[in-house]
Amino acid sequence: MTERCKWLGMDIVGHLAFGYAINLQTDPTNRYMIPGLAVSTYQFNCFMQYPLLKRLGLHHLIGVADTKARLEYARILYHIIGTRLSEPTHAHNDLYSFVTDHLDNAADGIQTSELWSEAVFFFPAAGDTTTTVISALFFYLSRNPTAYKRLATEIRNTFKYYEDIRGGQQLTGCRYLRACIDEALRISPPASGTLWREPYNDGEPVIIDGHIIPPGTQVGVSAYSLHHNEDYFAKPFEYDPDRWLIEDEANLSLMHSAFAPFSLGARGCAGKSMTYLETGLVIAKTIWLFDFEIAPGKLGIVGEGVPGRRGERGRPNEFQLYDTLGSRHDGPNLIFHLRANGLTSTS
Ligand code: HEM
């Protein structure tokens, strides 16, 4: 599912940002974008976590083996942006048409390089992250039959026809779906690493939780550790959507205070609503049309932790993420069966 979700995620971002049909799902031509993006986010994450590498001039060594993938990725980004620039501003109802309007009015004018850095940011920020939560959801649903059945019942009872599944009140009213998404974001946060911040207080130290933070010090919390802290989440390694549906307000607000998959505050994620819409649609439509199960044999265990493996990677029920600013992952491998209703109700 990782591979297919990545194709889907990039296709959506292509349309959303630049009105461009990348068509990774249906045409293999541009699929080299996926490894290209992976190596560039890996490299970026190294700079962020180990700034010394850049200062020592060692940054050229990271990803040197994958230079071809990075260059090819950069080439198609140029092509996508170039194609969009050659079209009228409002040729598509995409992000570009809004951003360009904004820059038109800015005092310093339009900077093509700004557009470039936005594009470089947007593909991983909007595409890769949603890919992870959708892949994780397929992983956890395929391993938790109770959650799977409850979700399938909710979706199939809410929507009489496949065509009815679209953004709106019916979809947002699917409370169990929302709980399943939140639980996947909690247990497998797509941006799982530490997002460093330099607290600023007019040159004075900042006090956090009784600790004096001298000016110039960077601080940060990893969403993964926060989401697995037992002080906030009981049995944190269990996938349990019901934890989000309890009546106990105090406990709910305690959990929400430590739930930060999109980061928090003024620089928190701008695409949060888009994520819930996209993930909700993909999962609801898939479950309406298909039943699915884990593939047999060795294929079926791809994405799981392996018992005995070092470094907290021994939990078979946990979808394995590797921090690359976003996340690298693989699997799950699933088998899909078209439901009888799916055949009769779609046109
Ligand atoms: C599961 C999906 C997503 C997750 C987990 C996620 C997570 C995050 C996080 C943690 C940040 C803060 C980064 C930092 O402070 O350094 C962020 C920022 C941002 N995200 Fe997302 N994101 C997701 C999906 C999206 C989507 C779909 C879009 C666009 C449609 C998007 C657009 C943005 C933007 C524009 C920012 C920068 C906000 C700012 O700096 O003001 N994200 N996201």
Side-chain angles (χ1 to χ4, degrees):
M1 293 309 293
T2 285
E3 192 175 53
R4 275 159 179 76
C5 291
K6 278 187 185 286
W7 296 340
L8 171 71
M10 293 296 259
D11 281 352
I12 291 174
V13 176
H15 284 290
L16 185 71
F18 296 110
Y20 189 95
I22 310 177
N23 289 338
L24 297 194
Q25 290 176 99
T26 49
D27 178 355
T29 313
N30 293 329
R31 286 186 186 160
Y32 61 81
M33 282 186 85
I34 303 297
L37 174 63
V39 70
S40 78
T41 51
Y42 177 81
Q43 199 181 41
F44 188 79
N45 196 40
C46 289
F47 297 162
M48 202 171 86
Q49 303 299 343
Y50 308 104
L52 193 61
L53 285 175
K54 184 125 191 180
R55 263 181 263 146
L56 293 176
L58 298 175
H59 56 290
H60 295 299
L61 299 177
I62 304 166
V64 78
D66 292 304
T67 303
K68 189 165 173 268
R70 265 190 306 123
L71 291 180
E72 282 179 340
Y73 177 63
R75 197 158 42 82
I76 183 139
L77 276 194
Y78 270 116
H79 176 71
I80 292 171
I81 295 172
T83 305
R84 188 62 185 89
L85 285 172
S86 69
E87 296 173 312
T89 305
H90 298 293
H92 305 276
N93 190 20
D94 55 2
L95 193 78
Y96 171 85
S97 64
F98 291 99
V99 171
T100 306
D101 276 354
H102 175 72
L103 291 177
D104 267 336
N105 298 329
D108 55 352
I110 298 175
Q111 296 284 326
T112 308
S113 60
E114 278 185 359
L115 189 60
W116 170 255
S117 41
E118 291 302 330
V120 168
F121 168 78
F122 209 68
F123 276 99
D128 234 18
T129 47
T130 337
T131 293
T132 301
V133 68
I134 296 173
S135 310
L137 258 167
F138 278 118
F139 179 91
Y140 291 110
L141 289 172
S142 62
R143 279 142 180 92
N144 291 277
T146 311
Y148 175 98
K149 275 192 206 119
R150 253 183 91 180
L151 181 60
T153 306
E154 181 180 69
I155 299 299
R156 293 167 191 174
N157 287 347
T158 304
F159 300 101
K160 190 167 176 208
Y161 299 109
Y162 175 79
E163 292 79 3
D164 294 341
I165 306 177
R166 57 170 73 98
Q169 278 183 355
Q170 264 188 311
L171 190 69
T172 49
C174 290
R175 289 187 68 220
Y176 197 71
L177 173 63
R178 173 64 183 246
C180 286
I181 298 174
D182 279 342
E183 185 62 349
L185 285 166
R186 180 195 70 80
I187 200 165
S188 296
S192 54
T194 307
L195 301 168
W196 298 102
R197 292 287 188 275
E198 194 172 312
Y200 174 77
N201 185 23
D202 263 338
E204 295 299 312
V206 172
I207 299 178
I208 300 177
D209 213 11
H211 300 280
I212 299 171
I213 313 293
T217 309
Q218 299 202 351
V219 296
V221 179
S222 137
Y224 183 91
S225 12
L226 199 52
H227 291 180
H228 292 81
N229 186 330
E230 283 179 337
D231 289 346
Y232 299 96
F233 301 100
K235 300 187 180 160
F237 291 96
E238 273 183 24
Y239 180 78
D240 176 16
D242 278 313
R243 74 173 78 236
W244 298 104
L245 297 169
I246 54 170
E247 301 288 325
D248 179 348
E249 287 296 329
N251 201 359
L252 263 180
S253 95
L254 181 72
M255 287 192 295
H256 278 291
S257 72
F259 182 59
F262 299 101
S263 189
L264 299 165
R267 301 321 297 255
C269 180
K272 198 170 155 180
S273 311
M274 172 75 194
T275 302
Y276 283 112
L277 175 65
E278 187 179 328
T279 309
L281 283 176
V282 170
I283 296 296
K285 284 179 177 240
T286 309
I287 285 195
W288 200 97
L289 280 178
F290 299 98
D291 281 312
F292 59 84
E293 69 204 20
I294 304 174
K298 282 190 179 167
L299 275 179
I301 62 171
V302 174
E304 296 180 355
V306 178
R309 193 178 276 175
R310 284 189 311 140
E312 297 291 315
R313 295 213 170 264
R315 287 180 284 270
N317 288 334
E318 182 176 359
F319 189 45
Q320 298 299 298
L321 300 185
Y322 296 84
D323 173 24
T324 58
L325 187 56
S327 297
R328 184 167 62 77
H329 44 86
D330 200 4
N333 288 313
L334 305 175
I335 295 180
F336 288 83
H337 306 277
L338 192 61
R339 291 175 61 229
N341 285 6
L343 277 176
T344 53
S345 301
T346 47
S347 51

